Amino acid sequence: METNSTTDASVIGKIWNKRPLIISGPCSAETEEQVIQTALQLKETGKVDILRAGIWKPRTRPGNFEGIGAKGLPWMQQARKLTGLPLAVEVATAKQVEDALHFDIDVLWIGARTTVNPFSVQELANALRGVNVPVFIKNPVNADLELWIGAMERVAKAGVDKLGLIHRGFSSYGNTEFRNAPMWHLAIEMKRRYPGVPFLIDPSHICGNRHMLQEVTQNAIDLDYDGAIIESHIDPDNAWSDAKQQVTPQRLKELLDDIVWRKETI
Ligand code: PEP
Ligand code: MN
């Protein structure tokens, strides 16, 4: 086991260009034990490049678990120390960027509920100025490509040179088979506009369940996506957020083993 307490920039550089690029970990960091056990089991699969966990959770309705907050960041650091896996966290405010960087989080992502708001994206871009940390930008919750492009432009203008995109689907009214409709054509248009930018599928938030994850991930790989961010948890049924869509690290391994990768992605 590696004992890195931070990740070398060259390691991140290599991962950035690795195909498929796989990010996994719990929707939310809940306890130190849960973060570390999930990380150890993910490392064991040999399939995961970056460990994700939500520290601050943007919940649609109040009264749900809103994230453990900055106290979870040292747990992630400990997980990196034990596994060598670089860390990714969602940020929505300048203070969260500051806290995440204080704990040497390697990769940040902007969530769907933040991409919709140019004020918030600009605040994040300002906080990222002069900090060379890779950033993934999820599509906005609504099917508006301009907002997604605008977020890319704002963060790029702040001098962030490693920018990636995550397709997590678009919300729609009423019951559909998806939690968030993929609207593949919109994502493909975005992918076409940014050639060479890592483009990941987030089947977890598209599906909202476990049984469609495989199919949605396979579809994305067939469309030449560069990888996936998939939620995993040591005890998915008892997860504090997004319990229905998370899978165990072992199940994640099986899912990835069953994907037919494009030759160029291996
Ligand atoms: C998440 O990744 O846990 C998350 C909150 O995602 P999204 O912004 O896609 O809803
Ligand atoms: Mn989630």
Side-chain angles (χ1 to χ4, degrees), residues 27 52 57-58 90 109 111-113 138 168 202 205 231 242:
C27 177
R52 65 150 280 160
K57 298 305 297 180
E90 173 176 349
W109 86 82
R113 289 166 193 75
K138 288 199 176 195
R168 54 77 80 192
D202 172 350
H205 293 91
E231 288 184 339
D242 288 351

Side-chain angles (χ1 to χ4, degrees), residues 60-96:
T60 303
R61 304 270 306 269
N64 295 308
F65 173 60
E66 303 226 322
I68 206 73
K71 116 180 193 204
L73 293 169
W75 307 343
M76 295 197 68
Q77 281 189 315
Q78 183 61 11
R80 176 175 55 202
K81 204 169 173 189
L82 295 171
T83 62
L85 289 173
L87 309 171
V89 158
E90 173 176 349
V91 286
T93 66
K95 176 74 170 85
Q96 291 172 4

Side-chain angles (χ1 to χ4, degrees), residues 124-187:
L124 290 176
N126 296 344
L128 289 164
R129 205 175 298 279
V131 182
N132 206 10
V133 65
V135 178
F136 277 98
I137 304 179
K138 288 199 176 195
N139 67 256
V141 277
N142 58 323
D144 184 339
L145 221 51
E146 289 292 303
L147 282 171
W148 203 1
I149 294 167
M152 278 292 274
E153 289 171 345
R154 286 176 196 278
V155 180
K157 274 192 185 164
V160 174
D161 59 9
K162 283 195 176 54
L163 271 171
L165 292 162
I166 299 174
H167 173 207
R168 54 77 80 192
F170 302 89
S171 61
S172 53
Y173 187 72
N175 291 332
T176 69
E177 59 172 334
F178 296 106
R179 177 176 173 190
N180 291 293
M183 300 194 195
W184 294 101
H185 57 292
L186 284 185

Side-chain angles (χ1 to χ4, degrees), residues 21-25 50-53 88-89 109 136 138 165-168 199-206 213 217 227-232 252:
L21 170 54
I22 305 293
I23 304 178
S24 189
I50 299 176
L51 174 71
R52 65 150 280 160
V89 158
W109 86 82
F136 277 98
K138 288 199 176 195
L165 292 162
I166 299 174
H167 173 207
R168 54 77 80 192
F199 198 87
L200 308 186
I201 187 75
D202 172 350
S204 307
H205 293 91
I206 288 178
L213 292 176
T217 307
I229 174 167
I230 304 180
E231 288 184 339
S232 58
L252 177 84

